Amino acid sequence: MKGEIYRVAGPVVTIMGIKPKMYDVVHVGHEGLMGEVIRIEGDKATVQVYEDTSGIKPGEPVVNTGMSLSVELGPGLLESIYDGIQRPLKVLQEKMGDFIDRGVTANGLDRERVWEFKPTVSSGDSVTGGQTIGIVQETENIEHKIMVPPTVSGTIEEIKSGKFKVDETICVLAGGKELSMMQKWPVRMPRPVDKKFIPRRPLITGQRILDGLFPVAKGGTAAIPGPFGSGKTVTQQQLAKWSDTDIVVYIGCGERGNEMADVLNEFPELQDPKTGRPLMERTVLIANTSNMPVAAREASVYTGITIAEYYRDMGYDVSLMADSSSRWAEAMREISSRLEEMPGEEGYPAYLSARLSEFYERAGAVKSLSAEEGSITVIGAVSPPGGDFSEPVTQNTLRIVKVFWALDAKLAQRRHFPSIDWLTSYSLYTQGLADWFAENVAPDWVPLRDNAMDLLQQESELQEIVQLVGSDALPEDQQLVLEICRMLREYFLQQNAFHPVDTYCPFDKQYQLLKAISKYSDMAQAALESGIPMKDILSIESKDELAKVKFEEDFEGALNVVMEKMDKEFAALGGN
Amino acid sequence: MTKEYKTITEISGPLIFLEKTEPVGYGELVHINLPDGTTKRGQVLDTSSDVVAVQVFEGTGGLNEESGVVFSGETIKLPVSKDMLGRILSGAGEPLDGGPRIVPEDRIDVNGASMNPYSRMPPEDFIQTGISTIDGTNTLVRGQKLPIFSGSGLPHNEIALQIARQSKVPGSTEDFAVVFAAMGITNEEAQYFMEDFEKTGALERAVVFLNLADDPAVERIITPRMALTAAEYLAYEHDMHVLVILTDITNYCEALRQMGAAREEVPGRRGYPGYMYTDLASLYERAGVIKGRKGSVTQFSILTMPGDDITHPIPDLSGYITEGQIVVSRELHMKGIYPPINVLPSLSRLMNSGIGDGKTRDDHKAVSDQMYAGYAEGRDLRGLVAIVGKEALSERDQKILEFADLFEDRFVRQGRDEDRSIEDTLQVGWDILSELPESLLTRIDNKYIEKYHPAHKSN
Ligand SMILES: Nc1ncnc2c1ncn2[C@@H]1O[C@H](COP(=O)(O)OP(=O)(O)O)[C@@H](O)[C@H]1O
Ligand SMILES: [Mg+2]
């Protein structure tokens, strides 16, 4: 059915003459710009257009596809970089050069590439939605499971084996339904699962303050709010690089082009700490940068999470980073204001909070339709205006997510990185993961960590007194607390993302570092009690040398040297 | 399409509305012929089969319902050519210097298309500005967008000019150019820039766009787009390394706010439009380097923070888009320190890719981190000293307090014409760091201490 354009106002176009359904994808104008119906009113419908509308005129034609905005799912997603509506940026570059033009369509999955399909079912088997019918080795480490689309079931009449393109038939069901390796799924609809579990395994990130103090569980949700320059992007990228996850979906939503270029440049060179393979092989990038069309920015988050769900359904642990969820919310606000909807708080639409929770609800540890256990961990950056956490996006997000990593501008200014404020951040998974840590890290890990947190709390109280009277006026045991906390902050919490060794810290190293600080603390305490002057305890050289062991390639060797020296130094003081 | 319509039904602030037109394209350039024979230009903001809304760049003064409106059938384009170098143009791209019109080699849509992130080359070529607080601690690289966040009455213009004069990529002899766009600055300020450009011969390598304080505010919305279009053209068609100076972003944002109010939009924070982030991004993101092309666009814009408040929406939204910021401090200015750059809130996000072995020097990052840590702590201690007195400080803290003073006096402070090489800058860094006990240099790997610390170096 053909219609025509009635009105154009930026990314919002009003059409008439056709009767679309909500969320139908339409092509508007002579160039066939892609858009999505977001409001229907009488004989007119409003469309948010994913491409620049300059020069588009009333009266130009409109065609309805009758389909909702969907992504293509199948082998070839990994290592791709897409825009917000799953057009591969590489293909766009081939078709239009270095600057993004409009009216160009591009398939999410390469139609020419051939994959080796190995069936895991035979004809005569009956299959249901979500069930695996075969596998494709997508990358060296990822076995891509070809699944029956969730809404399909039946008896297999024919199943093929061998090399195929994604849209070729590999399986026929009784009744003639043909399946290929590719399926489409509407992005705004969560893919169904059998059931959800309470997440019980930590996502190990190699970042000390995250793993140590505020861990997130696989299948959990976390938010990183912070003003500009406080470390949202670096933290997200660190998580994408070093987390022990099978698949990473990284969404650059309304942020910088150069940051995406950075990821593209770096990830093929970096090694997945788990498999030793290039990180890019486990990564899907979605880049809808700040200067790309705002409607496609709104869609980018859904595109990303749908791809994440697809790999989760295969039984993988997926982590999804959205940098920044605020830009997504702003895209909603921009479209909503063009629609002249009644604005809610700070101009955001009244449905902001519903959309945020629907999105984070798509995280989770699940049993998939094919009885695989998979998970999606969602980590959203939040960019509050003026760094003020009381604004609607931060507040609505905090109501949903279970982990809060609060970035602090003051820490960032003094180059304390990651500038996560240890006093206000929290993780609601800490308790639930305690058993896992005791079993897999060390039995005394939890008490060690709790003790460190305790001390850091005390420090903030002591600092208030110091502000009034100076540190020399404090009793010696409190001075010692301050010193231990300085060590905790500088030696343990600070972690340089750009240092080749320090950027990733295995759990065992985290444990040993904390243990070393704790050992100094114990020996210092004992020395103090046996009457040794504070000044001597503070001038223990090995204590200062401990600052640098985390940077050493041979960490254990370096640590042993320092700790042996510490024993000797304390012995020489006569205490202990 | 040269048909003239006399169907204006409403004039409201900078907007006109007209009816009964043939289909008009969104964003089209519009010419408006006034009864007195003059012509104004505008752009289509909203178009439907019934009504068309046009924003008029030169303001709607003198317009009435008798005025004729002609739709050009195309979006706003800038005629470009290499001969633009050395020229002074209005904020709307018309020659102001009495010279001939630009004979175009091409005409380019001023909105520019967004660069495909896949085509971007991460910027990494160190630009030496000769200013220690930039080179040493907030390094600028080619293709970066790094604005100066300043306040009224602070010497941001001097700093920008010093940078424009001194900037070089050590060892490179490639073609460079400056594109300067004034948006709502005073005539006097503009003169200050022009004189310096002339004096140093920079004008020959510059394209200047001037929209001054008394020029129409609406025109300000296209001025930076014109400038960036010229810059992209010189960079990507003529292989030049272009430094774009936009000043003052704050005036640009005020114009945006004014337009939003005229359109009766729902205002966002402090009255600025809700889409200001996206709008600013469409300017700032036009910096960068493209794989396989020689040229680059680097942006060094000036933004005066209203009330020196960095959380004000203009610096705030900018900081969320740019690759860092250089913050000019009133406190340091009052202390008589030039350039009064406060490194603590300053940041160059691309510093890490532009420094280090083979680019600047292997110890660069460590020296910078150590100075930050020391200066930050020293400044905190100043607050403490004011309450408890210096005597109450431990010996360690006293040293750090002194370091903060040294840092301001020797590292930050430099002459208006003092062009420090990166080696000089790092040397000053080591000189002041060596006043601290070595055990406090926890951010510096031992190997660098052995290599560069004055106490070790000599032997
Ligand atoms: N863990 C870290 N280690 C070292 N530097 C960091 C770290 N986190 C942030 N930074 C520094 O802070 C800058 C800003 O961080 P970024 O993540 O881009 O901030 P945001 O996304 O919050 O604006 C980075 O360019 C980098 O210099
Ligand atoms: Mg960021």
PDB file of all heavy atoms in Angstrom, chain A residues 226-235 238 256 259 323 407 417-418 495-498, chain B residues 320 347-350 352 365, ligand 1:
ATOM      1  N   GLY A 226      28.007   9.043  36.404  1.00  0.00           N
ATOM      2  CA  GLY A 226      29.108   9.946  36.731  1.00  0.00           C
ATOM      3  C   GLY A 226      29.146  11.100  35.769  1.00  0.00           C
ATOM      4  O   GLY A 226      28.725  10.983  34.624  1.00  0.00           O
ATOM      5  N   PRO A 227      29.672  12.245  36.252  1.00  0.00           N
ATOM      6  CA  PRO A 227      29.795  13.408  35.370  1.00  0.00           C
ATOM      7  C   PRO A 227      30.801  13.141  34.251  1.00  0.00           C
ATOM      8  O   PRO A 227      31.474  12.109  34.270  1.00  0.00           O
ATOM      9  CB  PRO A 227      30.305  14.502  36.310  1.00  0.00           C
ATOM     10  CG  PRO A 227      30.930  13.784  37.454  1.00  0.00           C
ATOM     11  CD  PRO A 227      30.187  12.487  37.585  1.00  0.00           C
ATOM     12  N   PHE A 228      30.917  14.034  33.317  1.00  0.00           N
ATOM     13  CA  PHE A 228      31.844  13.786  32.222  1.00  0.00           C
ATOM     14  C   PHE A 228      33.271  13.731  32.737  1.00  0.00           C
ATOM     15  O   PHE A 228      33.628  14.443  33.669  1.00  0.00           O
ATOM     16  CB  PHE A 228      31.692  14.822  31.096  1.00  0.00           C
ATOM     17  CG  PHE A 228      32.005  16.241  31.470  1.00  0.00           C
ATOM     18  CD1 PHE A 228      33.303  16.715  31.469  1.00  0.00           C
ATOM     19  CD2 PHE A 228      30.984  17.125  31.789  1.00  0.00           C
ATOM     20  CE1 PHE A 228      33.597  18.025  31.797  1.00  0.00           C
ATOM     21  CE2 PHE A 228      31.258  18.438  32.115  1.00  0.00           C
ATOM     22  CZ  PHE A 228      32.563  18.890  32.132  1.00  0.00           C
ATOM     23  N   GLY A 229      34.034  12.841  32.154  1.00  0.00           N
ATOM     24  CA  GLY A 229      35.435  12.735  32.523  1.00  0.00           C
ATOM     25  C   GLY A 229      35.683  11.952  33.797  1.00  0.00           C
ATOM     26  O   GLY A 229      36.792  11.927  34.305  1.00  0.00           O
ATOM     27  N   SER A 230      34.663  11.288  34.329  1.00  0.00           N
ATOM     28  CA  SER A 230      34.885  10.597  35.590  1.00  0.00           C
ATOM     29  C   SER A 230      35.220   9.116  35.373  1.00  0.00           C
ATOM     30  O   SER A 230      35.566   8.426  36.310  1.00  0.00           O
ATOM     31  CB  SER A 230      33.659  10.744  36.486  1.00  0.00           C
ATOM     32  OG  SER A 230      32.519  10.248  35.834  1.00  0.00           O
ATOM     33  N   GLY A 231      35.072   8.625  34.141  1.00  0.00           N
ATOM     34  CA  GLY A 231      35.521   7.258  33.892  1.00  0.00           C
ATOM     35  C   GLY A 231      34.451   6.265  33.490  1.00  0.00           C
ATOM     36  O   GLY A 231      34.672   5.053  33.576  1.00  0.00           O
ATOM     37  N   LYS A 232      33.308   6.718  33.022  1.00  0.00           N
ATOM     38  CA  LYS A 232      32.259   5.788  32.596  1.00  0.00           C
ATOM     39  C   LYS A 232      32.734   4.929  31.433  1.00  0.00           C
ATOM     40  O   LYS A 232      32.637   3.708  31.458  1.00  0.00           O
ATOM     41  CB  LYS A 232      31.002   6.560  32.169  1.00  0.00           C
ATOM     42  CG  LYS A 232      30.358   7.351  33.284  1.00  0.00           C
ATOM     43  CD  LYS A 232      29.123   8.083  32.795  1.00  0.00           C
ATOM     44  CE  LYS A 232      29.428   9.224  31.837  1.00  0.00           C
ATOM     45  NZ  LYS A 232      30.266  10.284  32.400  1.00  0.00           N
ATOM     46  N   THR A 233      33.251   5.597  30.422  1.00  0.00           N
ATOM     47  CA  THR A 233      33.614   4.864  29.212  1.00  0.00           C
ATOM     48  C   THR A 233      34.797   3.942  29.443  1.00  0.00           C
ATOM     49  O   THR A 233      34.793   2.783  29.012  1.00  0.00           O
ATOM     50  CB  THR A 233      33.901   5.863  28.076  1.00  0.00           C
ATOM     51  OG1 THR A 233      32.748   6.684  27.912  1.00  0.00           O
ATOM     52  CG2 THR A 233      34.223   5.152  26.785  1.00  0.00           C
ATOM     53  N   VAL A 234      35.806   4.443  30.157  1.00  0.00           N
ATOM     54  CA  VAL A 234      36.970   3.593  30.415  1.00  0.00           C
ATOM     55  C   VAL A 234      36.537   2.361  31.215  1.00  0.00           C
ATOM     56  O   VAL A 234      36.926   1.239  30.910  1.00  0.00           O
ATOM     57  CB  VAL A 234      38.088   4.373  31.145  1.00  0.00           C
ATOM     58  CG1 VAL A 234      39.213   3.442  31.566  1.00  0.00           C
ATOM     59  CG2 VAL A 234      38.623   5.489  30.253  1.00  0.00           C
ATOM     60  N   THR A 235      35.675   2.553  32.209  1.00  0.00           N
ATOM     61  CA  THR A 235      35.212   1.409  32.998  1.00  0.00           C
ATOM     62  C   THR A 235      34.442   0.420  32.121  1.00  0.00           C
ATOM     63  O   THR A 235      34.666  -0.798  32.186  1.00  0.00           O
ATOM     64  CB  THR A 235      34.320   1.885  34.165  1.00  0.00           C
ATOM     65  OG1 THR A 235      35.024   2.884  34.889  1.00  0.00           O
ATOM     66  CG2 THR A 235      33.968   0.740  35.093  1.00  0.00           C
ATOM     67  N   GLN A 238      36.871  -1.409  30.031  1.00  0.00           N
ATOM     68  CA  GLN A 238      37.611  -2.390  30.829  1.00  0.00           C
ATOM     69  C   GLN A 238      36.780  -3.650  31.029  1.00  0.00           C
ATOM     70  O   GLN A 238      37.275  -4.767  30.936  1.00  0.00           O
ATOM     71  CB  GLN A 238      37.992  -1.792  32.192  1.00  0.00           C
ATOM     72  CG  GLN A 238      39.086  -0.745  32.142  1.00  0.00           C
ATOM     73  CD  GLN A 238      40.408  -1.329  31.693  1.00  0.00           C
ATOM     74  OE1 GLN A 238      40.721  -1.327  30.505  1.00  0.00           O
ATOM     75  NE2 GLN A 238      41.192  -1.842  32.614  1.00  0.00           N
ATOM     76  N   ARG A 256      30.929   9.301  21.575  1.00  0.00           N
ATOM     77  CA  ARG A 256      31.915   9.774  20.604  1.00  0.00           C
ATOM     78  C   ARG A 256      32.307   8.748  19.537  1.00  0.00           C
ATOM     79  O   ARG A 256      32.484   7.577  19.848  1.00  0.00           O
ATOM     80  CB  ARG A 256      33.189  10.174  21.349  1.00  0.00           C
ATOM     81  CG  ARG A 256      32.965  11.226  22.389  1.00  0.00           C
ATOM     82  CD  ARG A 256      34.243  11.548  23.139  1.00  0.00           C
ATOM     83  NE  ARG A 256      33.954  12.505  24.186  1.00  0.00           N
ATOM     84  CZ  ARG A 256      33.527  12.163  25.400  1.00  0.00           C
ATOM     85  NH1 ARG A 256      33.387  10.882  25.721  1.00  0.00           N
ATOM     86  NH2 ARG A 256      33.258  13.085  26.284  1.00  0.00           N
ATOM     87  N   GLU A 259      35.706   7.061  20.197  1.00  0.00           N
ATOM     88  CA  GLU A 259      35.738   5.976  21.188  1.00  0.00           C
ATOM     89  C   GLU A 259      35.422   4.643  20.522  1.00  0.00           C
ATOM     90  O   GLU A 259      35.967   3.606  20.887  1.00  0.00           O
ATOM     91  CB  GLU A 259      34.739   6.257  22.316  1.00  0.00           C
ATOM     92  CG  GLU A 259      35.213   7.383  23.218  1.00  0.00           C
ATOM     93  CD  GLU A 259      34.204   7.817  24.273  1.00  0.00           C
ATOM     94  OE1 GLU A 259      33.025   7.415  24.202  1.00  0.00           O
ATOM     95  OE2 GLU A 259      34.582   8.589  25.148  1.00  0.00           O
ATOM     96  N   ASP A 323      26.646   2.569  26.617  1.00  0.00           N
ATOM     97  CA  ASP A 323      27.319   3.847  26.946  1.00  0.00           C
ATOM     98  C   ASP A 323      26.814   4.891  25.956  1.00  0.00           C
ATOM     99  O   ASP A 323      27.238   4.894  24.824  1.00  0.00           O
ATOM    100  CB  ASP A 323      28.839   3.659  26.810  1.00  0.00           C
ATOM    101  CG  ASP A 323      29.610   4.894  27.258  1.00  0.00           C
ATOM    102  OD1 ASP A 323      29.007   5.800  27.862  1.00  0.00           O
ATOM    103  OD2 ASP A 323      30.821   4.944  27.000  1.00  0.00           O
ATOM    104  N   LEU A 407      30.549   7.131  40.263  1.00  0.00           N
ATOM    105  CA  LEU A 407      31.788   7.807  39.905  1.00  0.00           C
ATOM    106  C   LEU A 407      31.792   9.199  40.513  1.00  0.00           C
ATOM    107  O   LEU A 407      30.757   9.848  40.625  1.00  0.00           O
ATOM    108  CB  LEU A 407      31.912   7.896  38.386  1.00  0.00           C
ATOM    109  CG  LEU A 407      32.090   6.536  37.718  1.00  0.00           C
ATOM    110  CD1 LEU A 407      32.007   6.677  36.205  1.00  0.00           C
ATOM    111  CD2 LEU A 407      33.425   5.939  38.116  1.00  0.00           C
ATOM    112  N   PHE A 417      41.982   6.647  39.884  1.00  0.00           N
ATOM    113  CA  PHE A 417      41.171   5.846  38.966  1.00  0.00           C
ATOM    114  C   PHE A 417      41.200   4.380  39.377  1.00  0.00           C
ATOM    115  O   PHE A 417      42.225   3.920  39.845  1.00  0.00           O
ATOM    116  CB  PHE A 417      41.713   5.962  37.541  1.00  0.00           C
ATOM    117  CG  PHE A 417      41.460   7.300  36.922  1.00  0.00           C
ATOM    118  CD1 PHE A 417      42.524   8.085  36.484  1.00  0.00           C
ATOM    119  CD2 PHE A 417      40.181   7.788  36.777  1.00  0.00           C
ATOM    120  CE1 PHE A 417      42.290   9.318  35.906  1.00  0.00           C
ATOM    121  CE2 PHE A 417      39.949   9.031  36.197  1.00  0.00           C
ATOM    122  CZ  PHE A 417      41.011   9.795  35.756  1.00  0.00           C
ATOM    123  N   PRO A 418      40.136   3.649  39.139  1.00  0.00           N
ATOM    124  CA  PRO A 418      38.815   4.113  38.711  1.00  0.00           C
ATOM    125  C   PRO A 418      38.203   4.989  39.804  1.00  0.00           C
ATOM    126  O   PRO A 418      38.315   4.633  40.996  1.00  0.00           O
ATOM    127  CB  PRO A 418      38.007   2.832  38.543  1.00  0.00           C
ATOM    128  CG  PRO A 418      38.905   1.684  38.870  1.00  0.00           C
ATOM    129  CD  PRO A 418      40.189   2.206  39.373  1.00  0.00           C
ATOM    130  N   GLN A 495      43.636   1.629  40.108  1.00  0.00           N
ATOM    131  CA  GLN A 495      44.056   0.672  39.098  1.00  0.00           C
ATOM    132  C   GLN A 495      44.125   1.398  37.768  1.00  0.00           C
ATOM    133  O   GLN A 495      43.132   1.986  37.322  1.00  0.00           O
ATOM    134  CB  GLN A 495      43.050  -0.486  39.041  1.00  0.00           C
ATOM    135  CG  GLN A 495      43.495  -1.605  38.125  1.00  0.00           C
ATOM    136  CD  GLN A 495      42.630  -2.839  38.277  1.00  0.00           C
ATOM    137  OE1 GLN A 495      41.695  -2.882  39.074  1.00  0.00           O
ATOM    138  NE2 GLN A 495      42.935  -3.856  37.487  1.00  0.00           N
ATOM    139  N   ASN A 496      45.282   1.352  37.168  1.00  0.00           N
ATOM    140  CA  ASN A 496      45.507   2.130  35.953  1.00  0.00           C
ATOM    141  C   ASN A 496      45.129   1.314  34.715  1.00  0.00           C
ATOM    142  O   ASN A 496      45.793   0.348  34.363  1.00  0.00           O
ATOM    143  CB  ASN A 496      46.973   2.542  35.895  1.00  0.00           C
ATOM    144  CG  ASN A 496      47.254   3.452  34.726  1.00  0.00           C
ATOM    145  OD1 ASN A 496      46.428   3.620  33.825  1.00  0.00           O
ATOM    146  ND2 ASN A 496      48.429   4.065  34.745  1.00  0.00           N
ATOM    147  N   ALA A 497      44.072   1.751  34.058  1.00  0.00           N
ATOM    148  CA  ALA A 497      43.574   1.024  32.892  1.00  0.00           C
ATOM    149  C   ALA A 497      44.563   1.055  31.737  1.00  0.00           C
ATOM    150  O   ALA A 497      44.467   0.267  30.810  1.00  0.00           O
ATOM    151  CB  ALA A 497      42.236   1.615  32.442  1.00  0.00           C
ATOM    152  N   PHE A 498      45.502   1.988  31.789  1.00  0.00           N
ATOM    153  CA  PHE A 498      46.419   2.135  30.657  1.00  0.00           C
ATOM    154  C   PHE A 498      47.787   1.526  30.923  1.00  0.00           C
ATOM    155  O   PHE A 498      48.694   1.645  30.121  1.00  0.00           O
ATOM    156  CB  PHE A 498      46.551   3.612  30.286  1.00  0.00           C
ATOM    157  CG  PHE A 498      45.225   4.201  29.890  1.00  0.00           C
ATOM    158  CD1 PHE A 498      44.448   4.898  30.798  1.00  0.00           C
ATOM    159  CD2 PHE A 498      44.725   3.987  28.612  1.00  0.00           C
ATOM    160  CE1 PHE A 498      43.206   5.407  30.442  1.00  0.00           C
ATOM    161  CE2 PHE A 498      43.483   4.489  28.236  1.00  0.00           C
ATOM    162  CZ  PHE A 498      42.725   5.201  29.159  1.00  0.00           C
TER     163      PHE A 498
ATOM    164  N   TYR B 320      30.600  16.560  27.870  1.00  0.00           N
ATOM    165  CA  TYR B 320      30.139  15.202  27.586  1.00  0.00           C
ATOM    166  C   TYR B 320      30.443  14.786  26.147  1.00  0.00           C
ATOM    167  O   TYR B 320      30.340  13.618  25.799  1.00  0.00           O
ATOM    168  CB  TYR B 320      28.632  15.098  27.829  1.00  0.00           C
ATOM    169  CG  TYR B 320      28.264  14.708  29.248  1.00  0.00           C
ATOM    170  CD1 TYR B 320      27.490  15.527  30.048  1.00  0.00           C
ATOM    171  CD2 TYR B 320      28.696  13.498  29.776  1.00  0.00           C
ATOM    172  CE1 TYR B 320      27.133  15.160  31.341  1.00  0.00           C
ATOM    173  CE2 TYR B 320      28.347  13.122  31.060  1.00  0.00           C
ATOM    174  CZ  TYR B 320      27.572  13.949  31.841  1.00  0.00           C
ATOM    175  OH  TYR B 320      27.236  13.568  33.114  1.00  0.00           O
ATOM    176  N   LEU B 347      41.329  18.068  31.367  1.00  0.00           N
ATOM    177  CA  LEU B 347      41.480  16.673  30.958  1.00  0.00           C
ATOM    178  C   LEU B 347      41.702  16.618  29.459  1.00  0.00           C
ATOM    179  O   LEU B 347      41.091  17.365  28.719  1.00  0.00           O
ATOM    180  CB  LEU B 347      40.183  15.907  31.299  1.00  0.00           C
ATOM    181  CG  LEU B 347      40.000  14.498  30.720  1.00  0.00           C
ATOM    182  CD1 LEU B 347      40.962  13.529  31.365  1.00  0.00           C
ATOM    183  CD2 LEU B 347      38.566  14.008  30.928  1.00  0.00           C
ATOM    184  N   SER B 348      42.617  15.771  29.053  1.00  0.00           N
ATOM    185  CA  SER B 348      42.654  15.424  27.634  1.00  0.00           C
ATOM    186  C   SER B 348      42.425  13.933  27.548  1.00  0.00           C
ATOM    187  O   SER B 348      43.244  13.142  28.000  1.00  0.00           O
ATOM    188  CB  SER B 348      43.994  15.764  26.996  1.00  0.00           C
ATOM    189  OG  SER B 348      44.080  15.083  25.757  1.00  0.00           O
ATOM    190  N   ARG B 349      41.309  13.562  26.989  1.00  0.00           N
ATOM    191  CA  ARG B 349      40.964  12.146  26.913  1.00  0.00           C
ATOM    192  C   ARG B 349      41.835  11.381  25.934  1.00  0.00           C
ATOM    193  O   ARG B 349      41.866  10.166  25.972  1.00  0.00           O
ATOM    194  CB  ARG B 349      39.517  11.989  26.468  1.00  0.00           C
ATOM    195  CG  ARG B 349      38.521  12.480  27.466  1.00  0.00           C
ATOM    196  CD  ARG B 349      37.183  12.622  26.789  1.00  0.00           C
ATOM    197  NE  ARG B 349      36.242  13.268  27.674  1.00  0.00           N
ATOM    198  CZ  ARG B 349      35.443  12.609  28.507  1.00  0.00           C
ATOM    199  NH1 ARG B 349      35.480  11.313  28.537  1.00  0.00           N
ATOM    200  NH2 ARG B 349      34.627  13.249  29.290  1.00  0.00           N
ATOM    201  N   LEU B 350      42.469  12.114  25.027  1.00  0.00           N
ATOM    202  CA  LEU B 350      43.260  11.399  24.030  1.00  0.00           C
ATOM    203  C   LEU B 350      44.741  11.411  24.378  1.00  0.00           C
ATOM    204  O   LEU B 350      45.572  10.954  23.605  1.00  0.00           O
ATOM    205  CB  LEU B 350      43.020  11.989  22.638  1.00  0.00           C
ATOM    206  CG  LEU B 350      41.552  11.981  22.199  1.00  0.00           C
ATOM    207  CD1 LEU B 350      41.396  12.495  20.785  1.00  0.00           C
ATOM    208  CD2 LEU B 350      40.962  10.581  22.299  1.00  0.00           C
ATOM    209  N   ASN B 352      46.508   9.694  26.376  1.00  0.00           N
ATOM    210  CA  ASN B 352      47.203   8.408  26.437  1.00  0.00           C
ATOM    211  C   ASN B 352      47.639   7.896  25.077  1.00  0.00           C
ATOM    212  O   ASN B 352      48.636   7.201  24.969  1.00  0.00           O
ATOM    213  CB  ASN B 352      46.321   7.376  27.120  1.00  0.00           C
ATOM    214  CG  ASN B 352      46.190   7.673  28.590  1.00  0.00           C
ATOM    215  OD1 ASN B 352      47.196   7.858  29.273  1.00  0.00           O
ATOM    216  ND2 ASN B 352      44.977   7.775  29.077  1.00  0.00           N
ATOM    217  N   LYS B 365      53.662   9.833  31.012  1.00  0.00           N
ATOM    218  CA  LYS B 365      52.436   9.519  31.740  1.00  0.00           C
ATOM    219  C   LYS B 365      52.677   9.485  33.251  1.00  0.00           C
ATOM    220  O   LYS B 365      51.919  10.054  34.035  1.00  0.00           O
ATOM    221  CB  LYS B 365      51.931   8.150  31.253  1.00  0.00           C
ATOM    222  CG  LYS B 365      50.765   7.583  32.007  1.00  0.00           C
ATOM    223  CD  LYS B 365      49.453   8.103  31.476  1.00  0.00           C
ATOM    224  CE  LYS B 365      48.281   7.431  32.178  1.00  0.00           C
ATOM    225  NZ  LYS B 365      47.389   8.390  32.809  1.00  0.00           N
TER     226      LYS B 365
HETATM  227  N1  LIG C   1      40.783   3.199  35.254  1.00  0.00           N
HETATM  228  C1  LIG C   1      41.390   4.262  34.705  1.00  0.00           C
HETATM  229  N2  LIG C   1      42.737   4.293  34.624  1.00  0.00           N
HETATM  230  C2  LIG C   1      43.378   5.347  34.104  1.00  0.00           C
HETATM  231  N3  LIG C   1      42.764   6.421  33.616  1.00  0.00           N
HETATM  232  C3  LIG C   1      41.415   6.469  33.656  1.00  0.00           C
HETATM  233  C4  LIG C   1      40.663   5.395  34.196  1.00  0.00           C
HETATM  234  N4  LIG C   1      39.358   5.731  34.132  1.00  0.00           N
HETATM  235  C5  LIG C   1      39.308   6.947  33.551  1.00  0.00           C
HETATM  236  N5  LIG C   1      40.543   7.405  33.262  1.00  0.00           N
HETATM  237  C6  LIG C   1      40.894   8.707  32.670  1.00  0.00           C
HETATM  238  O1  LIG C   1      39.759   9.546  32.714  1.00  0.00           O
HETATM  239  C7  LIG C   1      39.431  10.001  31.424  1.00  0.00           C
HETATM  240  C8  LIG C   1      37.947  10.095  31.270  1.00  0.00           C
HETATM  241  O2  LIG C   1      37.380   8.819  31.361  1.00  0.00           O
HETATM  242  P1  LIG C   1      36.073   8.430  30.550  1.00  0.00           P
HETATM  243  O3  LIG C   1      35.811   7.008  30.837  1.00  0.00           O
HETATM  244  O4  LIG C   1      36.227   8.803  29.124  1.00  0.00           O
HETATM  245  O5  LIG C   1      35.013   9.372  31.237  1.00  0.00           O
HETATM  246  P2  LIG C   1      33.456   9.520  30.977  1.00  0.00           P
HETATM  247  O6  LIG C   1      33.052   8.457  30.019  1.00  0.00           O
HETATM  248  O7  LIG C   1      32.852   9.376  32.328  1.00  0.00           O
HETATM  249  O8  LIG C   1      33.296  10.902  30.456  1.00  0.00           O
HETATM  250  C9  LIG C   1      40.076   9.027  30.480  1.00  0.00           C
HETATM  251  O9  LIG C   1      40.401   9.644  29.269  1.00  0.00           O
HETATM  252  C10 LIG C   1      41.314   8.624  31.242  1.00  0.00           C
HETATM  253  O10 LIG C   1      42.331   9.555  31.060  1.00  0.00           O
END
